[in-house]
Amino acid sequence: MCGIIGYIGNKSATPLILDGLRKQSYRGYDSSGIIVFEKEKPELVRAVGKLEVLEEKVQKSDFKGTVGLGHSRWATHGEVTEANAHPHADCNNNIFVVHNGIIENFMSLKRQLEEKGHVFHSETDTEVLPHLIEHFFKGDLPKAVRQALLLVKGSYGMAVVARDDPGKIVAARVSSPLVISVNDSGGFVASDPSAIVSHSNKMVFLDDGEVAVLESGTFTVTDLHNIKKEKEITELEWSAEEAQKGGHETFMLKEILEQPESIRNVIRGRLLPKEGAVKLGGLEEVEEKLRGMKRIHIIACGTAFFSAMTGKYMIEEYAGLSCEVDIASEFRYRKPIVSPDTAFLFISQSGETADTLAALREVKRKGGLTLGIVNTVGSSVAREITAGIYNHAGPEIGVASTKAFTSQLVALAMLTVFLARQRSMSLVLGKRIVEEIARLPDLVKQVLGQKEVIAQLAQKYASFSNMLYIGRKYNYPIALEGALKLKEISYVHAEGYGAGEMKHGSIALIDENFPTLAICPSDSVYEKMISNIQEIKARGGSIIAIASVGDKEIANLADDVIYIPKTIEMLTPILSVLPLQLFAYEIGVKRGYDVDKPRNLAKSVTVE
Ligand code: M6R
């Protein structure tokens, strides 16, 4: 959602802040702003719309100051206006705040502050923060911030500067990510490491309730009561270059085509072919506990939820464990049973999704064992779970999740082997599955090699306004994911269905203007899928089939076929989703949309 960046040091702050905002623009924003201290005088500039508007305004002023903050806002409280854009200031133009999250008790705080004479200029919840800090400020900014935050309820990742306590940035977080980094030329604070990783890959991730004070070249972290905290420095594997487009037109395409590599990364060092087993270092400390588990409960949102659904089929079939899946936003508000024989697995690319995090905290509160499959190193989910598996897919910048999804599926396949080999899976079967997982990078490459064929197909279908996606068993969640990809990238109405469920309603939609993408590799439900395809053909619907190489029957039935290589049934989703990613991408581009930043969406959903 919103993005925070701050710099303090010996360089001009403005270009560093603008660069940090640009690098976080993928998160989605509708307005932006910057505060720089120019010869001790605060210079505040805010703008509605694209970052270019802010850049143009700032360039006219040519600020040279070496301390400043920047923010890109995605409106929650109050409309998209310049007055609502951050930074927000106190009554004296002394204290300036940028903030991500929601201050839940802002109404009552605002009322109390207004009674004391504070004058507000925006409709935002954020504006109570500079006024509240002003209320406590007596020349010591960190102290005033700590005092103010003791009264605040809600979520915040925030950074503050004060004219009358210069040479400091104070940053604090509760439930909204914040990272700091210090090098020889100064210190940075950001809501996303990708905004500052080009300056240093050594990061300090703040935890809830922590307050950091950055001065040029140094930092300290305390809690809200000023008790000092020792912080670990995390070295990120991401290079600045990795976070760029690498010669591709869009991040989304780059990330789709990177999948042979990202899958290689998730399996690197983890397969034990001779033992028919996998080594998951991140689960070692809970290995014995997992042996006694009877159930796995997976919780996630969006695309990560579809990987959870696919994982359910894997775990039940091979590990013989009962597996339940839940959308995090539903799980957190029901009354889940957290029993000692159940392990709770949270899947998240960003590791910052508000609902997933809330569900995780609920399970922890009830004493459940928490595991994770997370891509972003040092993210909140990664830090709060007991044990987990990193995806190592590298930064995913495109809003539509692609490479993170397939690496989640591979991580789930490895977790399945891990759990199954603790139980009844034979050495022979373990070897067979491990062998097939090792082949995946090459198989994925073969599918992606059909990019041009899929582009032509997309041309043929780009003008349709509706599409149905169907699949069964392992490929039922892939039908849902394929439909989601098309919706979010090309704004075409798409429905994902379990093929067997079609007859219970959605088949009524089918006519010559409603094509169907049928995912029907040669697996245990192939015959059933063929019957469903025939039913659609009989009603005049056209079919694009995703089928296994060598399937001759399908060519007589479907209007178009995309072939994927053969593998074991459990791994077919990792191949069948690839044409669907490319198909959605091509249709989005043909329709002229910005596929990296689809309308109304943000990469990381850090508010409810
Ligand atoms: O970062 P997470 O994996 O927790 O994000 C979950 C969803 O918000 C995410 O997968 C979303 O559905 C994607 N934009 C879909 O492409």
Side-chain angles (χ1 to χ4, degrees):
M1 301 285 173
C2 312
I4 286 176
I5 172 83
Y7 173 75
I8 181 164
N10 53 27
K11 292 187 177 171
S12 173
T14 309
L16 295 171
I17 291 170
L18 291 176
D19 178 60
L21 288 179
R22 238 175 275 120
K23 287 186 174 139
Q24 295 181 86
S25 60
Y26 71 89
R27 294 163 70 100
Y29 68 97
D30 46 46
S31 52
S32 55
I34 179 169
I35 168 82
V36 177
F37 286 112
E38 188 68 6
K39 294 185 186 130
E40 314 287 289
K41 187 173 158 274
E43 295 289 354
L44 175 68
V45 183
R46 296 182 291 193
V48 168
K50 292 269 177 201
L51 269 177
E52 286 78 7
V53 185
L54 179 76
E55 284 168 349
E56 209 173 292
K57 280 185 163 185
V58 170
Q59 265 149 23
K60 277 189 201 140
S61 309
D62 191 27
F63 303 138
K64 298 272 187 312
T66 62
V67 183
L69 302 175
H71 189 262
S72 46
R73 174 176 187 250
W74 197 77
T76 56
H77 290 59
E79 288 176 19
V80 181
T81 61
E82 210 171 291
N84 287 337
H86 303 207
H88 289 286
D90 64 345
C91 297
N92 288 316
N93 264 341
N94 170 31
I95 293 159
F96 295 86
V97 175
V98 289
H99 162 234
N100 293 350
I102 293 171
I103 306 299
E104 284 164 10
N105 59 340
F106 88 98
M107 289 293 274
S108 69
L109 289 172
K110 189 170 175 177
R111 209 174 311 115
Q112 290 166 41
L113 287 160
E114 279 173 336
E115 279 166 15
K116 289 186 168 67
H118 289 259
V119 179
F120 285 75
H121 299 283
S122 79
E123 304 155 280
T124 65
D125 53 331
T126 299
E127 202 187 347
V128 297
L129 293 172
H131 289 279
L132 197 57
I133 297 167
E134 177 182 29
H135 173 74
F136 290 106
F137 185 77
K138 295 196 173 56
D140 181 345
L141 181 63
K143 187 174 177 188
V145 170
R146 288 192 303 267
Q147 286 174 310
L149 290 181
L150 286 171
L151 302 180
V152 166
K153 291 200 184 106
S155 60
Y156 51 82
M158 59 185 272
V160 194
V161 287
R163 183 195 58 213
D164 296 343
D165 189 8
K168 281 181 196 131
I169 296 178
V170 181
R173 80 157 262 176
V174 165
S175 299
S176 185
L178 217 52
V179 61
I180 58 175
S181 170
V182 173
N183 66 17
D184 295 344
S185 73
F188 291 88
V189 56
S191 41
D192 186 326
S194 70
I196 52 177
V197 71
S198 58
H199 305 290
S200 166
N201 68 343
K202 295 198 173 79
M203 305 281 165
V204 174
F205 292 91
L206 293 189
D207 284 307
D208 283 354
E210 289 182 343
V211 180
V213 181
L214 274 105
E215 289 171 270
S216 191
T218 63
F219 73 92
T220 51
V221 178
T222 67
D223 66 11
L224 288 181
H225 302 285
N226 203 22
I227 307 291
K228 200 158 180 253
K229 304 282 283 287
E230 290 308 321
K231 296 295 290 178
E232 227 179 82
I233 295 181
T234 306
E235 273 190 49
L236 286 191
E237 293 162 17
W238 304 355
S239 65
E241 206 184 290
E242 258 186 297
Q244 301 307 309
K245 286 185 198 160
H248 295 289
E249 273 168 33
T250 61
F251 281 112
M252 185 179 174
L253 182 60
K254 171 179 176 273
E255 287 155 10
I256 290 174
L257 298 178
E258 259 171 17
Q259 288 175 104
E261 195 50 37
S262 55
I263 290 177
R264 210 165 274 127
N265 287 343
V266 70
I267 61 185
R268 182 166 293 128
R270 287 168 164 167
L271 301 182
L272 304 171
K274 285 196 192 122
E275 293 156 51
V278 299
K279 181 177 157 46
L280 297 171
L283 296 187
E284 261 164 27
E285 61 175 298
V286 294
E287 197 167 341
E288 283 318 305
K289 277 193 185 156
L290 287 177
R291 218 179 275 284
M293 291 294 160
K294 299 232 164 18
R295 263 174 293 275
I296 305 287
H297 195 140
I298 319 181
I299 296 141
C301 297
T303 288
F305 174 70
F306 299 142
S307 74
M309 284 177 74
T310 317
K312 174 184 164 78
Y313 289 95
M314 295 179 182
I315 290 169
E316 287 185 346
E317 179 159 4
Y318 288 100
L321 286 163
S322 132
C323 183
E324 207 181 320
V325 291
D326 254 298
I327 294 171
S329 53
E330 288 299 316
F331 178 89
R332 66 182 288 194
Y333 291 115
R334 61 185 185 84
K335 200 177 159 201
I337 309 297
V338 178
S339 60
D341 60 2
T342 304
F344 291 81
L345 172 64
F346 297 85
I347 306 181
S348 176
Q349 186 288 127
S350 63
E352 301 294 351
T353 301
D355 286 318
T356 308
L357 208 46
L360 162 61
R361 288 175 181 161
E362 186 60 21
V363 171
K364 281 179 83 172
R365 208 167 288 128
K366 295 192 163 120
L369 175 68
T370 57
L371 310 174
I373 294 179
V374 181
N375 191 33
T376 308
V377 175
S379 59
S380 301
V381 172
R383 283 177 295 125
E384 293 187 29
I385 48 174
T386 310
I389 307 169
Y390 272 127
N391 295 122
H392 299 309
E396 191 180 66
I397 307 290
V399 166
S401 191
T402 52
K403 65 174 181 173
F405 179 65
T406 47
S407 72
Q408 285 160 359
L409 295 180
V410 177
L412 282 160
M414 291 192 295
L415 176 66
T416 301
V417 174
F418 182 90
L419 295 168
R421 291 288 281 132
Q422 281 188 327
R423 293 169 174 78
S424 63
M425 181 183 273
S426 68
L427 172 66
V428 175
L429 183 54
K431 276 185 169 179
R432 171 84 189 101
I433 297 176
V434 167
E435 223 169 69
E436 278 302 298
I437 295 176
R439 288 178 67 220
L440 281 171
D442 289 337
L443 301 184
V444 165
K445 202 167 168 194
Q446 286 174 33
V447 181
L448 296 175
Q450 300 178 73
K451 179 178 175 299
E452 288 318 311
V453 177
I454 296 167
Q456 282 166 23
L457 211 59
Q459 180 73 44
K460 179 172 166 190
Y461 289 92
S463 59
F464 285 89
S465 313
N466 302 288
M467 278 191 205
L468 183 66
Y469 285 66
I470 55 168
R472 279 174 181 259
K473 207 176 163 187
Y474 285 102
N475 284 292
Y476 161 42
I478 301 308
L480 303 183
E481 169 61 4
L484 177 67
K485 282 292 90 92
L486 190 69
K487 278 183 267 204
E488 60 181 342
I489 296 308
S490 63
Y491 318 143
V492 171
H493 167 233
E495 305 240 3
Y497 255 84
E501 191 55 18
M502 206 179 62
K503 274 199 241 118
H504 300 281
S506 61
I507 199 166
L509 293 167
I510 295 298
D511 64 14
E512 66 284 2
N513 296 316
F514 210 122
T516 299
L517 265 133
I519 309 157
C520 51
S522 307
D523 60 10
S524 64
V525 284
Y526 177 78
E527 300 301 335
K528 303 277 169 207
M529 281 299 298
I530 294 296
S531 306
N532 295 130
I533 290 171
Q534 270 157 345
E535 283 154 9
I536 291 171
K537 290 298 294 175
R539 283 154 185 86
S542 47
I543 294 280
I544 309 164
I546 314 287
S548 299
V549 166
D551 180 351
K552 298 210 174 71
E553 186 181 349
I554 199 79
N556 300 326
L557 204 55
D559 299 79
D560 294 286
V561 186
I562 304 167
Y563 289 101
I564 57 171
K566 285 189 181 146
T567 182
I568 51 177
E569 182 170 6
M570 154 196 186
L571 301 180
T572 54
I574 298 157
L575 304 180
S576 63
V577 75
L578 305 169
L580 306 185
Q581 294 173 346
L582 281 169
F583 186 75
Y585 171 81
E586 295 291 347
I587 291 195
V589 169
K590 284 180 177 49
R591 287 181 161 235
Y593 298 128
D594 179 349
V595 295
D596 282 340
K597 288 181 219 146
R599 70 185 180 206
N600 306 336
L601 290 178
K603 180 65 183 164
S604 190
V605 186
T606 55
V607 288
E608 252 189 290

